[in-house]
Amino acid sequence: MHVAVLDSSQVRRTAISTAAGMHGWRAQPCDRAGSVLTALDLGGVDVVVLNWEDVQRRSDDVDHLFATSDVPMVALADDDDGVKAALRRGAALALRKPCDPEVLMLSVGAMLQQRPLLPVLHHRVTLGDLVVHVANHTVERSGRRQVLSPTEWQLFAYFLAHPDRTFGREQLARGAWGDGFERRRAEIDLYIFRVRRKVERQPRRPVLIETVRNCGYRLTAVPATIAALD
């Protein structure tokens, strides 16, 4: 497991890196967003732990990180407002500071274990003529590749992990985005629409993500693993 740690505090970077090492994870301390972006471009980063107040000072950094990252973002914030802001922006997990590094690593580990596609993290799967690149959250058909946003990917990954099962909106919100996110059930239709635009050959006539009348949605095809990513 490779953890990139973005924090201006050397003490906190060191403490988190030490805790990661105790779990057998490789940590990469970073004091600026550019270093994290470089690490992400090189690949192999599984999760980014960042100091929310640091990235908030540079809104461009926040936008760039969350728009281009294919991995979960874990935010450490000074107060509840910061925690909420990080979650709204797309963080997969947010905790208040000061945070025990061991608690942080256990929380990150639990979060990653619950990711639906962890066993095939470094593989590609197919849904008919659609190729899904699991590691970088992209889909490809006929040479055209599109990137799913973190929120879109979490929803699509949940479908991939549970093919041919029908889920109501509340079930999908909880399964895709975690306990406590049932309130986002109203957003399911919007994100279904967005995901269909990227994965369906004809989004207005979907055949992969089917609407089940009065019940919800289901993925009609069973994913097949085809190869490990280079």
Side-chain angles (χ1 to χ4, degrees):
M1 188 72 67
H2 183 180
V3 182
V5 183
L6 174 58
D7 200 316
S8 61
S9 167
Q10 183 176 354
V11 172
R12 201 156 40 232
R13 290 199 308 269
T14 301
I16 294 173
S17 298
T18 300
M22 293 176 63
H23 282 258
W25 299 351
R26 181 163 63 96
Q28 181 173 346
C30 303
D31 60 358
R32 55 191 179 87
S35 300
V36 176
L37 291 169
T38 299
L40 290 170
D41 288 340
L42 292 174
V45 175
D46 296 295
V47 64
V48 175
V49 176
L50 54 86
N51 180 8
W52 183 248
E53 280 66 37
D54 282 347
V55 295
Q56 272 291 83
R57 296 188 188 102
R58 295 280 307 274
S59 60
D60 290 345
D61 289 345
V62 178
D63 293 337
H64 199 176
L65 277 172
F66 281 89
T68 61
S69 173
D70 300 317
V71 303
M73 294 283 176
V74 176
L76 301 179
D78 285 341
D79 50 36
D80 288 343
D81 287 340
V83 168
K84 294 173 185 177
L87 292 172
R88 291 191 186 103
R89 185 59 66 93
L93 176 68
L95 301 171
R96 284 190 61 170
K97 294 179 291 189
C99 177
D100 184 332
E102 178 69 7
V103 171
L104 172 62
M105 290 300 105
L106 289 172
S107 299
V108 170
M111 176 192 71
L112 293 176
Q113 286 299 323
Q114 292 174 9
R115 293 177 70 189
L117 294 183
L118 191 60
V120 291
L121 186 61
H122 300 292
H123 290 76
R124 291 175 290 176
V125 299
T126 59
L127 293 170
D129 63 348
L130 183 76
V131 178
V132 182
H133 300 265
V134 177
N136 59 10
H137 304 178
T138 62
V139 294
E140 183 177 358
R141 176 184 284 114
S142 302
R144 184 188 180 194
R145 186 176 294 196
Q146 298 194 74
V147 180
L148 276 68
S149 72
T151 305
E152 292 168 352
W153 173 255
Q154 289 165 349
L155 178 59
F156 188 49
Y158 192 71
F159 278 121
L160 290 174
H162 304 89
D164 205 32
R165 287 182 57 185
T166 300
F167 294 100
R169 290 169 177 80
E170 186 171 313
Q171 288 177 297
L172 281 174
R174 183 172 61 250
W177 301 317
D179 291 335
F181 283 86
E182 293 90 342
R183 58 185 172 79
R184 295 182 66 172
R185 65 184 300 275
E187 299 178 39
I188 286 293
D189 293 341
L190 171 62
Y191 280 100
I192 290 289
F193 170 76
R194 291 180 176 176
V195 171
R196 279 173 170 168
R197 290 181 61 184
K198 296 180 178 180
V199 306
E200 298 281 1
R201 181 174 287 277
Q202 299 183 62
R204 294 183 180 277
R205 296 180 179 179
V207 297
L208 292 178
I209 300 177
E210 178 185 56
T211 300
V212 181
R213 188 174 181 181
N214 297 325
C215 293
Y217 300 94
R218 72 180 179 119
L219 182 72
T220 61
V222 177
T225 302
I226 58 173
L229 287 174
D230 296 330

